[in-house]
Amino acid sequence: MSPRVGLDQKMIVNVAAQLADTEGVESITLANIAKKLNVRPPSLFNHIQGLPSVKKELALLGMTILYEKLKVASNNKTKDEAIFALADAYVNFVKEHPGLYQFTIKAPETDEKELEKVSNQIITLLSDILTAYGLSNEDKIHGIRALRSILHGFSSLVQMGAFGLQISVKDSFQLMIEGYIESLKRLAQKNT
Amino acid sequence: MSPRVGLDQKMIVNVAAQLADTEGVESITLANIAKKLNVRPPSLFNHIQGLPSVKKELALLGMTILYEKLKVASNNKTKDEAIFALADAYVNFVKEHPGLYQFTIKAPETDEKELEKVSNQIITLLSDILTAYGLSNEDKIHGIRALRSILHGFSSLVQMGAFGLQISVKDSFQLMIEGYIESLKRLAQKNT
DNA sequence: ATTGCAAAACTAATGGCATTAGTTATAATA
DNA sequence: TATTATAACTAATGCCATTAGTTTTGCAAT
């Protein structure tokens, strides 16, 4: 009756992530996770603190994967090329992990050190790329915020099907990023 | 024990909206709504279909208020002035109604005609403003999508406290919108 | 090999939630 | 004043998360 399946937290969180992406955020319940693992819900408590802790772990997992994707995509690239690659990677991540992304961006209720650490790594990645444009430190911050807004906003709207399909969504994205990059350059000009 | 309080759907949805903005999205339960109305949860069912229907009504209410704010803000304005006013109104709406906004932007699970109607009114509002820039029809769509992405992304990130406070968030927004407007103009130039 | 033990998985039980069924009370109207 | 539709209620159901307490298992030490 209890052949010791060999559960652990990583397994639980991974199953939850799969569930989130395939069945939607609402499907993240301990009951559903347990079912997927052929286990009774209370058994999960030997490895996790409760449903809220699973959600926190999902946020961390999502943020970590996102960071890795962004890092790999922009690796060895600079300026425009790096931005385009990173932006593509961001949108693709959200497309591949729509459910996980929702947990990733949800504001944490408590201070989550690890999550904040990975989040800061992403900011640093963006910052390093923008450095090449020769902006002032303050303008670089503005640039980072704008890029984050664009990426998050666009990805979210695509994910929720907010854009019609007559006109190419890919083209919209390309133009938007081009516009962003040009405004970065203009900002750098002003600063000289 | 049942002095006929005079409930109706509007009252229920309004209380839910208040609750969402003050206590957060998680607090939207029939139990909490009933408590706020000094009524037992089953009484609500005389006026609403169930919790999901309340959430749909919240989405509609949010979208409607948002549309009204955007319309009023941009009324009698054109081009840059209209965009700045509308953008400000958007961000302010999210600031004033953080909880309601979450329901407003959540992808509807079923075809919601009314919601789609108001959503389309917002698109039309944006479209009318962008028309003044003399873009091609297709570029105008791209421009609308970019603006929606910027507004939603920025507002969401502000709302979830994703931006540090050392550097002015207002300045970031101003610069971002300026950059957007200039890229609109550049796009129009290319098209001539 | 056998035994002991920590931990994994279980069953049972609790409390909160949404929702349904069926009852009572009220306000409008005939 | 009597009738009736319906608002609000109580009671009951089922699902969920979680806790308590029990059984089982696999490793580890003899």
Side-chain angles (χ1 to χ4, degrees):
Chain A
M1 273 291 179
S2 61
R4 204 158 282 216
V5 186
L7 281 187
D8 70 4
Q9 168 165 316
K10 187 177 283 183
M11 202 180 307
I12 292 171
V13 174
N14 284 338
V15 162
Q18 255 195 293
L19 212 50
D21 287 337
T22 58
E23 306 292 324
V25 170
E26 312 290 330
S27 72
I28 300 302
T29 63
L30 292 185
N32 281 338
I33 294 169
K35 199 174 295 171
K36 200 104 178 178
L37 286 163
N38 289 310
V39 148
R40 304 301 173 137
S43 304
L44 300 174
F45 284 78
N46 283 316
H47 309 282
I48 52 130
Q49 305 284 345
L51 185 55
S53 84
V54 173
K55 293 182 175 176
K56 282 176 203 154
E57 291 298 325
L58 282 176
L60 181 58
L61 175 64
M63 195 70 87
T64 304
I65 296 178
L66 176 58
Y67 170 61
E68 291 297 331
K69 299 255 184 190
L70 299 183
K71 193 175 62 176
V72 167
S74 61
N75 193 31
N76 288 328
K77 299 193 177 73
T78 64
K79 301 192 82 174
D80 301 10
E81 197 191 8
I83 291 180
F84 279 116
L86 180 139
D88 265 335
Y90 195 108
V91 172
N92 283 330
F93 170 76
V94 177
K95 237 181 277 218
E96 287 165 24
H97 300 287
L100 189 56
Y101 183 66
Q102 305 239 58
F103 289 101
T104 303
I105 57 165
K106 181 172 283 179
E109 325 215 325
T110 65
D111 271 359
E112 297 295 316
K113 271 185 161 179
E114 275 193 290
L115 181 63
E116 198 174 345
K117 185 181 150 198
V118 182
S119 175
N120 282 334
Q121 286 180 302
I122 292 181
I123 307 288
T124 299
L125 188 60
L126 299 185
S127 180
D128 288 347
I129 292 172
L130 292 203
T131 294
Y133 289 92
L135 300 158
S136 72
N137 278 344
E138 181 164 334
D139 281 348
K140 191 162 71 174
I141 301 281
H142 295 316
I144 292 169
R145 288 175 176 173
L147 183 51
R148 291 171 73 197
S149 298
I150 287 173
L151 295 177
H152 170 55
F154 187 86
S155 301
S156 299
L157 293 175
V158 167
Q159 185 210 330
M160 65 181 63
F163 296 149
L165 300 170
Q166 287 80 9
I167 306 289
S168 161
V169 171
K170 214 177 150 101
D171 287 357
S172 296
F173 190 61
Q174 176 76 21
L175 276 172
M176 186 174 65
I177 299 294
E178 281 174 8
Y180 168 73
I181 289 174
E182 290 185 31
S183 63
L184 269 192
K185 290 176 180 171
R186 205 162 341 100
L187 203 57
Q189 292 268 323
K190 278 196 209 164
N191 249 5
T192 52
Chain B
M1 271 290 178
S2 60
R4 206 157 283 215
V5 185
L7 281 188
D8 70 5
Q9 168 166 317
K10 187 176 281 186
M11 203 180 304
I12 292 172
V13 173
N14 283 339
V15 162
Q18 255 195 294
L19 212 50
D21 287 337
T22 58
E23 306 292 324
V25 171
E26 312 289 329
S27 74
I28 300 302
T29 64
L30 293 184
N32 281 338
I33 295 169
K35 199 174 295 170
K36 200 103 179 179
L37 287 163
N38 289 311
V39 149
R40 303 300 172 138
S43 305
L44 300 175
F45 284 79
N46 284 316
H47 309 282
I48 51 130
Q49 305 285 345
L51 185 55
S53 85
V54 173
K55 293 182 176 176
K56 281 174 203 155
E57 291 299 326
L58 282 176
L60 181 58
L61 175 64
M63 194 71 85
T64 304
I65 296 177
L66 177 57
Y67 170 61
E68 291 298 332
K69 298 255 183 188
L70 298 183
K71 194 174 60 174
V72 168
S74 61
N75 193 31
N76 288 328
K77 299 193 176 73
T78 64
K79 300 194 82 176
D80 302 10
E81 196 190 8
I83 291 180
F84 278 116
L86 180 140
D88 265 336
Y90 195 107
V91 172
N92 282 331
F93 170 75
V94 178
K95 237 180 278 218
E96 286 165 23
H97 300 286
L100 190 55
Y101 183 66
Q102 306 239 57
F103 289 100
T104 304
I105 59 166
K106 181 172 283 178
E109 326 216 326
T110 65
D111 271 359
E112 296 296 316
K113 271 186 160 175
E114 274 193 289
L115 181 62
E116 197 173 345
K117 184 181 151 199
V118 183
S119 174
N120 283 334
Q121 287 180 301
I122 292 181
I123 307 288
T124 299
L125 189 61
L126 299 184
S127 180
D128 288 347
I129 292 172
L130 292 203
T131 294
Y133 289 92
L135 300 158
S136 72
N137 279 343
E138 181 165 333
D139 280 348
K140 191 162 71 174
I141 302 280
H142 294 316
I144 292 169
R145 289 175 175 173
L147 183 52
R148 292 172 71 197
S149 298
I150 286 173
L151 295 177
H152 169 54
F154 187 87
S155 300
S156 300
L157 292 176
V158 167
Q159 185 210 333
M160 66 181 63
F163 296 150
L165 300 172
Q166 287 80 11
I167 307 289
S168 160
V169 171
K170 213 177 153 100
D171 288 355
S172 296
F173 190 61
Q174 176 77 19
L175 278 171
M176 187 174 63
I177 299 294
E178 282 175 6
Y180 167 73
I181 289 176
E182 290 185 30
S183 62
L184 269 191
K185 290 176 180 170
R186 204 162 341 100
L187 202 55
Q189 291 268 325
K190 277 197 210 164
N191 249 4
T192 52

Short mmCIF file of all heavy atoms in Angstrom, two decimals, chain B residues 39-93:
data_model
loop_
_atom_site.label_atom_id
_atom_site.label_comp_id
_atom_site.label_asym_id
_atom_site.label_seq_id
_atom_site.Cartn_x
_atom_site.Cartn_y
_atom_site.Cartn_z
N VAL B 39 -24.75 39.01 5.15
CA VAL B 39 -25.68 38.06 4.55
C VAL B 39 -25.01 36.70 4.57
O VAL B 39 -23.80 36.58 4.69
CB VAL B 39 -25.98 38.55 3.11
CG1 VAL B 39 -26.27 37.40 2.20
CG2 VAL B 39 -27.09 39.56 3.13
N ARG B 40 -25.80 35.63 4.49
CA ARG B 40 -25.21 34.29 4.40
C ARG B 40 -24.87 33.98 2.95
O ARG B 40 -25.63 34.38 2.05
CB ARG B 40 -26.19 33.25 4.94
CG ARG B 40 -26.62 33.49 6.37
CD ARG B 40 -25.44 33.50 7.30
NE ARG B 40 -25.83 33.91 8.63
CZ ARG B 40 -25.38 33.32 9.75
NH1 ARG B 40 -24.53 32.32 9.67
NH2 ARG B 40 -25.77 33.75 10.92
N PRO B 41 -23.78 33.25 2.73
CA PRO B 41 -23.34 32.99 1.35
C PRO B 41 -24.44 32.50 0.41
O PRO B 41 -24.52 32.99 -0.72
CB PRO B 41 -22.25 31.93 1.53
CG PRO B 41 -21.68 32.24 2.87
CD PRO B 41 -22.83 32.71 3.72
N PRO B 42 -25.32 31.58 0.81
CA PRO B 42 -26.32 31.12 -0.17
C PRO B 42 -27.24 32.23 -0.65
O PRO B 42 -27.79 32.12 -1.75
CB PRO B 42 -27.10 30.05 0.61
CG PRO B 42 -26.17 29.57 1.65
CD PRO B 42 -25.39 30.80 2.06
N SER B 43 -27.41 33.26 0.14
CA SER B 43 -28.29 34.35 -0.28
C SER B 43 -27.80 35.01 -1.56
O SER B 43 -28.59 35.53 -2.35
CB SER B 43 -28.39 35.40 0.83
OG SER B 43 -28.80 34.80 2.04
N LEU B 44 -26.50 34.98 -1.75
CA LEU B 44 -25.93 35.60 -2.94
C LEU B 44 -26.45 34.95 -4.21
O LEU B 44 -26.58 35.60 -5.25
CB LEU B 44 -24.41 35.53 -2.90
CG LEU B 44 -23.74 36.21 -1.69
CD1 LEU B 44 -22.24 35.96 -1.70
CD2 LEU B 44 -24.02 37.71 -1.70
N PHE B 45 -26.76 33.67 -4.10
CA PHE B 45 -27.16 32.92 -5.30
C PHE B 45 -28.52 33.37 -5.86
O PHE B 45 -28.88 32.97 -6.95
CB PHE B 45 -27.15 31.42 -5.02
CG PHE B 45 -25.77 30.84 -4.98
CD1 PHE B 45 -24.97 30.98 -3.86
CD2 PHE B 45 -25.26 30.16 -6.07
CE1 PHE B 45 -23.69 30.45 -3.82
CE2 PHE B 45 -23.99 29.62 -6.04
CZ PHE B 45 -23.19 29.77 -4.91
N ASN B 46 -29.24 34.15 -5.10
CA ASN B 46 -30.47 34.72 -5.65
C ASN B 46 -30.18 35.80 -6.68
O ASN B 46 -31.07 36.20 -7.44
CB ASN B 46 -31.33 35.31 -4.53
CG ASN B 46 -32.03 34.24 -3.74
OD1 ASN B 46 -32.58 33.30 -4.30
ND2 ASN B 46 -31.99 34.36 -2.42
N HIS B 47 -28.93 36.27 -6.71
CA HIS B 47 -28.61 37.41 -7.58
C HIS B 47 -27.46 37.15 -8.54
O HIS B 47 -27.30 37.87 -9.51
CB HIS B 47 -28.29 38.62 -6.71
CG HIS B 47 -29.32 38.90 -5.67
ND1 HIS B 47 -30.51 39.52 -5.97
CD2 HIS B 47 -29.39 38.59 -4.35
CE1 HIS B 47 -31.25 39.61 -4.86
NE2 HIS B 47 -30.58 39.04 -3.88
N ILE B 48 -26.68 36.13 -8.24
CA ILE B 48 -25.54 35.81 -9.12
C ILE B 48 -25.52 34.31 -9.37
O ILE B 48 -26.21 33.55 -8.70
CB ILE B 48 -24.21 36.23 -8.47
CG1 ILE B 48 -24.14 35.66 -7.04
CG2 ILE B 48 -24.11 37.74 -8.42
CD1 ILE B 48 -22.90 34.95 -6.72
N GLN B 49 -24.75 33.93 -10.37
CA GLN B 49 -24.72 32.51 -10.77
C GLN B 49 -23.78 31.67 -9.93
O GLN B 49 -23.88 30.45 -9.89
CB GLN B 49 -24.29 32.38 -12.23
CG GLN B 49 -25.11 33.19 -13.21
CD GLN B 49 -26.45 32.54 -13.46
OE1 GLN B 49 -26.65 31.37 -13.12
NE2 GLN B 49 -27.38 33.30 -14.02
N GLY B 50 -22.83 32.33 -9.29
CA GLY B 50 -21.79 31.61 -8.57
C GLY B 50 -20.52 32.45 -8.63
O GLY B 50 -20.51 33.52 -9.24
N LEU B 51 -19.49 31.99 -7.98
CA LEU B 51 -18.26 32.77 -7.92
C LEU B 51 -17.69 33.10 -9.30
O LEU B 51 -17.28 34.25 -9.54
CB LEU B 51 -17.23 32.04 -7.05
CG LEU B 51 -15.94 32.78 -6.77
CD1 LEU B 51 -16.18 34.15 -6.17
CD2 LEU B 51 -15.05 31.97 -5.84
N PRO B 52 -17.64 32.14 -10.22
CA PRO B 52 -17.09 32.46 -11.54
C PRO B 52 -17.82 33.62 -12.21
O PRO B 52 -17.19 34.46 -12.86
CB PRO B 52 -17.27 31.16 -12.33
CG PRO B 52 -17.26 30.09 -11.29
CD PRO B 52 -17.94 30.70 -10.09
N SER B 53 -19.13 33.68 -12.02
CA SER B 53 -19.88 34.76 -12.67
C SER B 53 -19.53 36.11 -12.04
O SER B 53 -19.49 37.13 -12.73
CB SER B 53 -21.38 34.50 -12.60
OG SER B 53 -21.92 34.94 -11.38
N VAL B 54 -19.27 36.11 -10.74
CA VAL B 54 -18.84 37.36 -10.10
C VAL B 54 -17.51 37.82 -10.69
O VAL B 54 -17.31 39.01 -10.97
CB VAL B 54 -18.71 37.18 -8.57
CG1 VAL B 54 -18.10 38.42 -7.93
CG2 VAL B 54 -20.07 36.88 -7.96
N LYS B 55 -16.64 36.87 -10.92
CA LYS B 55 -15.33 37.24 -11.48
C LYS B 55 -15.47 37.78 -12.89
O LYS B 55 -14.77 38.73 -13.27
CB LYS B 55 -14.39 36.03 -11.43
CG LYS B 55 -14.04 35.64 -10.01
CD LYS B 55 -13.06 34.47 -9.93
CE LYS B 55 -12.66 34.19 -8.47
NZ LYS B 55 -11.78 33.00 -8.34
N LYS B 56 -16.38 37.20 -13.65
CA LYS B 56 -16.60 37.73 -15.00
C LYS B 56 -17.15 39.15 -14.92
O LYS B 56 -16.78 40.01 -15.71
CB LYS B 56 -17.59 36.83 -15.76
CG LYS B 56 -16.96 35.56 -16.31
CD LYS B 56 -18.03 34.65 -16.93
CE LYS B 56 -17.55 33.20 -16.96
NZ LYS B 56 -18.69 32.25 -16.97
N GLU B 57 -18.05 39.38 -13.99
CA GLU B 57 -18.61 40.72 -13.84
C GLU B 57 -17.53 41.71 -13.39
O GLU B 57 -17.57 42.88 -13.78
CB GLU B 57 -19.77 40.70 -12.84
CG GLU B 57 -21.00 39.97 -13.32
CD GLU B 57 -21.60 40.58 -14.59
OE1 GLU B 57 -21.54 41.81 -14.73
OE2 GLU B 57 -22.12 39.82 -15.42
N LEU B 58 -16.62 41.24 -12.57
CA LEU B 58 -15.52 42.11 -12.16
C LEU B 58 -14.68 42.51 -13.37
O LEU B 58 -14.27 43.67 -13.50
CB LEU B 58 -14.63 41.40 -11.13
CG LEU B 58 -15.18 41.35 -9.71
CD1 LEU B 58 -14.24 40.54 -8.82
CD2 LEU B 58 -15.35 42.75 -9.14
N ALA B 59 -14.44 41.55 -14.25
CA ALA B 59 -13.67 41.85 -15.46
C ALA B 59 -14.38 42.91 -16.28
O ALA B 59 -13.77 43.88 -16.74
CB ALA B 59 -13.47 40.58 -16.27
N LEU B 60 -15.68 42.73 -16.42
CA LEU B 60 -16.45 43.69 -17.22
C LEU B 60 -16.45 45.07 -16.57
O LEU B 60 -16.26 46.09 -17.23
CB LEU B 60 -17.89 43.17 -17.38
CG LEU B 60 -18.82 44.05 -18.20
CD1 LEU B 60 -18.27 44.27 -19.60
CD2 LEU B 60 -20.22 43.43 -18.26
N LEU B 61 -16.66 45.10 -15.25
CA LEU B 61 -16.65 46.37 -14.53
C LEU B 61 -15.31 47.07 -14.70
O LEU B 61 -15.26 48.27 -15.01
CB LEU B 61 -16.95 46.13 -13.05
CG LEU B 61 -16.86 47.35 -12.14
CD1 LEU B 61 -17.91 48.38 -12.51
CD2 LEU B 61 -16.99 46.97 -10.66
N GLY B 62 -14.23 46.32 -14.49
CA GLY B 62 -12.90 46.90 -14.61
C GLY B 62 -12.64 47.45 -16.00
O GLY B 62 -12.16 48.58 -16.17
N MET B 63 -12.98 46.66 -16.99
CA MET B 63 -12.75 47.08 -18.37
C MET B 63 -13.56 48.33 -18.69
O MET B 63 -13.09 49.24 -19.38
CB MET B 63 -13.13 45.94 -19.32
CG MET B 63 -12.64 46.12 -20.74
SD MET B 63 -10.84 45.92 -20.92
CE MET B 63 -10.68 44.15 -21.10
N THR B 64 -14.78 48.38 -18.17
CA THR B 64 -15.65 49.53 -18.43
C THR B 64 -15.10 50.80 -17.78
O THR B 64 -15.05 51.87 -18.42
CB THR B 64 -17.06 49.24 -17.90
OG1 THR B 64 -17.54 48.04 -18.51
CG2 THR B 64 -18.01 50.38 -18.24
N ILE B 65 -14.71 50.68 -16.52
CA ILE B 65 -14.14 51.85 -15.85
C ILE B 65 -12.87 52.30 -16.56
O ILE B 65 -12.66 53.50 -16.80
CB ILE B 65 -13.83 51.54 -14.36
CG1 ILE B 65 -15.12 51.22 -13.60
CG2 ILE B 65 -13.11 52.71 -13.71
CD1 ILE B 65 -14.88 50.83 -12.15
N LEU B 66 -12.04 51.33 -16.91
CA LEU B 66 -10.80 51.67 -17.60
C LEU B 66 -11.09 52.43 -18.89
O LEU B 66 -10.47 53.47 -19.16
CB LEU B 66 -10.01 50.39 -17.90
CG LEU B 66 -8.71 50.57 -18.69
CD1 LEU B 66 -7.75 51.52 -18.00
CD2 LEU B 66 -8.03 49.22 -18.93
N TYR B 67 -12.04 51.91 -19.64
CA TYR B 67 -12.39 52.59 -20.90
C TYR B 67 -12.85 54.02 -20.64
O TYR B 67 -12.43 54.96 -21.33
CB TYR B 67 -13.48 51.80 -21.63
CG TYR B 67 -14.06 52.56 -22.81
CD1 TYR B 67 -13.26 52.94 -23.87
CD2 TYR B 67 -15.41 52.90 -22.84
CE1 TYR B 67 -13.78 53.66 -24.94
CE2 TYR B 67 -15.94 53.61 -23.90
CZ TYR B 67 -15.12 53.99 -24.95
OH TYR B 67 -15.64 54.70 -26.00
N GLU B 68 -13.70 54.18 -19.65
CA GLU B 68 -14.20 55.52 -19.35
C GLU B 68 -13.06 56.47 -18.99
O GLU B 68 -13.00 57.61 -19.47
CB GLU B 68 -15.22 55.47 -18.20
CG GLU B 68 -16.53 54.79 -18.56
CD GLU B 68 -17.29 55.52 -19.67
OE1 GLU B 68 -17.11 56.75 -19.80
OE2 GLU B 68 -18.03 54.85 -20.42
N LYS B 69 -12.16 55.99 -18.16
CA LYS B 69 -11.02 56.83 -17.74
C LYS B 69 -10.17 57.22 -18.94
O LYS B 69 -9.72 58.37 -19.07
CB LYS B 69 -10.16 56.07 -16.73
CG LYS B 69 -10.90 55.71 -15.46
CD LYS B 69 -10.49 56.59 -14.31
CE LYS B 69 -11.19 56.14 -13.03
NZ LYS B 69 -10.99 57.06 -11.93
N LEU B 70 -9.94 56.24 -19.81
CA LEU B 70 -9.09 56.51 -20.97
C LEU B 70 -9.77 57.50 -21.91
O LEU B 70 -9.13 58.40 -22.46
CB LEU B 70 -8.78 55.21 -21.72
CG LEU B 70 -8.01 54.14 -20.95
CD1 LEU B 70 -7.71 52.94 -21.85
CD2 LEU B 70 -6.71 54.68 -20.37
N LYS B 71 -11.07 57.32 -22.05
CA LYS B 71 -11.82 58.19 -22.96
C LYS B 71 -11.81 59.63 -22.44
O LYS B 71 -11.51 60.56 -23.17
CB LYS B 71 -13.26 57.68 -23.09
CG LYS B 71 -14.02 58.29 -24.25
CD LYS B 71 -15.39 57.65 -24.43
CE LYS B 71 -16.26 57.82 -23.19
NZ LYS B 71 -17.65 57.34 -23.41
N VAL B 72 -12.15 59.77 -21.18
CA VAL B 72 -12.18 61.11 -20.59
C VAL B 72 -10.80 61.78 -20.67
O VAL B 72 -10.67 62.95 -21.03
CB VAL B 72 -12.65 61.04 -19.12
CG1 VAL B 72 -12.39 62.37 -18.42
CG2 VAL B 72 -14.12 60.66 -19.07
N ALA B 73 -9.78 61.00 -20.36
CA ALA B 73 -8.43 61.57 -20.32
C ALA B 73 -7.98 62.07 -21.68
O ALA B 73 -7.32 63.11 -21.80
CB ALA B 73 -7.44 60.53 -19.79
N SER B 74 -8.35 61.33 -22.72
CA SER B 74 -7.83 61.68 -24.04
C SER B 74 -8.81 62.54 -24.83
O SER B 74 -8.51 62.95 -25.95
CB SER B 74 -7.51 60.40 -24.83
OG SER B 74 -8.69 59.63 -25.01
N ASN B 75 -9.94 62.80 -24.23
CA ASN B 75 -10.97 63.56 -24.91
C ASN B 75 -10.46 64.94 -25.34
O ASN B 75 -9.82 65.64 -24.58
CB ASN B 75 -12.18 63.73 -23.98
CG ASN B 75 -13.40 64.24 -24.74
OD1 ASN B 75 -13.56 63.93 -25.92
ND2 ASN B 75 -14.23 64.99 -24.06
N ASN B 76 -10.77 65.31 -26.59
CA ASN B 76 -10.37 66.63 -27.11
C ASN B 76 -8.85 66.81 -27.23
O ASN B 76 -8.37 67.92 -27.34
CB ASN B 76 -10.92 67.77 -26.23
CG ASN B 76 -12.40 67.92 -26.42
OD1 ASN B 76 -12.92 67.68 -27.52
ND2 ASN B 76 -13.09 68.29 -25.36
N LYS B 77 -8.14 65.70 -27.14
CA LYS B 77 -6.69 65.80 -27.34
C LYS B 77 -6.31 64.97 -28.56
O LYS B 77 -7.02 64.04 -28.94
CB LYS B 77 -5.95 65.29 -26.11
CG LYS B 77 -6.24 66.06 -24.83
CD LYS B 77 -5.24 65.71 -23.74
CE LYS B 77 -5.48 66.56 -22.50
NZ LYS B 77 -6.71 66.14 -21.77
N THR B 78 -5.19 65.28 -29.14
CA THR B 78 -4.72 64.48 -30.28
C THR B 78 -3.23 64.21 -30.15
O THR B 78 -2.53 64.85 -29.34
CB THR B 78 -4.93 65.22 -31.62
OG1 THR B 78 -4.13 66.39 -31.62
CG2 THR B 78 -6.40 65.57 -31.84
N LYS B 79 -2.80 63.25 -30.90
CA LYS B 79 -1.38 62.90 -31.02
C LYS B 79 -0.67 62.79 -29.66
O LYS B 79 -1.20 62.16 -28.75
CB LYS B 79 -0.69 63.91 -31.94
CG LYS B 79 -1.32 63.93 -33.37
CD LYS B 79 -0.46 64.66 -34.39
CE LYS B 79 0.65 63.78 -34.94
NZ LYS B 79 1.42 64.47 -36.00
N ASP B 80 0.51 63.38 -29.58
CA ASP B 80 1.33 63.20 -28.37
C ASP B 80 0.56 63.50 -27.09
O ASP B 80 0.63 62.76 -26.12
CB ASP B 80 2.57 64.11 -28.42
CG ASP B 80 3.43 63.85 -29.65
OD1 ASP B 80 2.98 63.10 -30.55
OD2 ASP B 80 4.54 64.39 -29.71
N GLU B 81 -0.18 64.59 -27.14
CA GLU B 81 -0.90 64.99 -25.93
C GLU B 81 -1.93 63.94 -25.53
O GLU B 81 -2.08 63.60 -24.34
CB GLU B 81 -1.60 66.33 -26.18
CG GLU B 81 -2.05 67.04 -24.92
CD GLU B 81 -2.95 68.24 -25.21
OE1 GLU B 81 -3.35 68.42 -26.39
OE2 GLU B 81 -3.29 68.96 -24.27
N ALA B 82 -2.60 63.39 -26.51
CA ALA B 82 -3.60 62.35 -26.24
C ALA B 82 -2.93 61.10 -25.69
O ALA B 82 -3.42 60.47 -24.74
CB ALA B 82 -4.37 62.03 -27.52
N ILE B 83 -1.81 60.75 -26.26
CA ILE B 83 -1.12 59.53 -25.81
C ILE B 83 -0.63 59.68 -24.37
O ILE B 83 -0.82 58.78 -23.54
CB ILE B 83 0.05 59.19 -26.75
CG1 ILE B 83 -0.49 58.75 -28.12
CG2 ILE B 83 0.92 58.08 -26.15
CD1 ILE B 83 0.59 58.39 -29.13
N PHE B 84 -0.03 60.81 -24.09
CA PHE B 84 0.44 61.01 -22.72
C PHE B 84 -0.72 60.97 -21.72
O PHE B 84 -0.62 60.35 -20.65
CB PHE B 84 1.17 62.36 -22.59
CG PHE B 84 2.60 62.32 -23.04
CD1 PHE B 84 3.03 63.07 -24.13
CD2 PHE B 84 3.52 61.53 -22.39
CE1 PHE B 84 4.36 63.03 -24.56
CE2 PHE B 84 4.86 61.47 -22.80
CZ PHE B 84 5.27 62.23 -23.89
N ALA B 85 -1.80 61.61 -22.08
CA ALA B 85 -2.94 61.66 -21.16
C ALA B 85 -3.52 60.27 -20.96
O ALA B 85 -3.83 59.85 -19.83
CB ALA B 85 -4.01 62.60 -21.71
N LEU B 86 -3.65 59.55 -22.05
CA LEU B 86 -4.21 58.21 -21.96
C LEU B 86 -3.30 57.28 -21.16
O LEU B 86 -3.76 56.50 -20.31
CB LEU B 86 -4.44 57.66 -23.37
CG LEU B 86 -5.03 56.27 -23.47
CD1 LEU B 86 -6.05 56.19 -24.60
CD2 LEU B 86 -3.95 55.21 -23.70
N ALA B 87 -2.03 57.39 -21.41
CA ALA B 87 -1.07 56.54 -20.70
C ALA B 87 -1.11 56.81 -19.20
O ALA B 87 -1.12 55.89 -18.38
CB ALA B 87 0.33 56.76 -21.26
N ASP B 88 -1.16 58.06 -18.86
CA ASP B 88 -1.26 58.43 -17.44
C ASP B 88 -2.53 57.85 -16.82
O ASP B 88 -2.51 57.33 -15.70
CB ASP B 88 -1.30 59.96 -17.29
CG ASP B 88 0.09 60.52 -17.01
OD1 ASP B 88 0.92 59.77 -16.49
OD2 ASP B 88 0.31 61.70 -17.33
N ALA B 89 -3.62 57.99 -17.55
CA ALA B 89 -4.89 57.49 -17.03
C ALA B 89 -4.83 55.98 -16.81
O ALA B 89 -5.36 55.46 -15.83
CB ALA B 89 -6.02 57.85 -17.99
N TYR B 90 -4.18 55.31 -17.72
CA TYR B 90 -4.06 53.85 -17.62
C TYR B 90 -3.31 53.46 -16.33
O TYR B 90 -3.79 52.67 -15.53
CB TYR B 90 -3.33 53.30 -18.84
CG TYR B 90 -3.45 51.80 -19.05
CD1 TYR B 90 -4.25 51.29 -20.06
CD2 TYR B 90 -2.76 50.90 -18.24
CE1 TYR B 90 -4.36 49.92 -20.28
CE2 TYR B 90 -2.87 49.54 -18.44
CZ TYR B 90 -3.66 49.04 -19.46
OH TYR B 90 -3.76 47.69 -19.65
N VAL B 91 -2.17 54.07 -16.16
CA VAL B 91 -1.36 53.75 -14.98
C VAL B 91 -2.10 54.11 -13.71
O VAL B 91 -2.06 53.38 -12.72
CB VAL B 91 0.00 54.46 -15.05
CG1 VAL B 91 0.76 54.30 -13.75
CG2 VAL B 91 0.82 53.91 -16.21
N ASN B 92 -2.78 55.24 -13.74
CA ASN B 92 -3.53 55.65 -12.54
C ASN B 92 -4.66 54.69 -12.23
O ASN B 92 -4.94 54.41 -11.06
CB ASN B 92 -4.07 57.07 -12.71
CG ASN B 92 -2.97 58.09 -12.50
OD1 ASN B 92 -2.02 57.85 -11.75
ND2 ASN B 92 -3.09 59.23 -13.16
N PHE B 93 -5.31 54.23 -13.28
CA PHE B 93 -6.37 53.25 -13.04
C PHE B 93 -5.83 52.02 -12.32
O PHE B 93 -6.43 51.55 -11.34
CB PHE B 93 -7.03 52.83 -14.36
CG PHE B 93 -7.95 51.65 -14.20
CD1 PHE B 93 -9.21 51.81 -13.63
CD2 PHE B 93 -7.56 50.38 -14.60
CE1 PHE B 93 -10.06 50.73 -13.47
CE2 PHE B 93 -8.41 49.28 -14.44
CZ PHE B 93 -9.66 49.47 -13.87
#
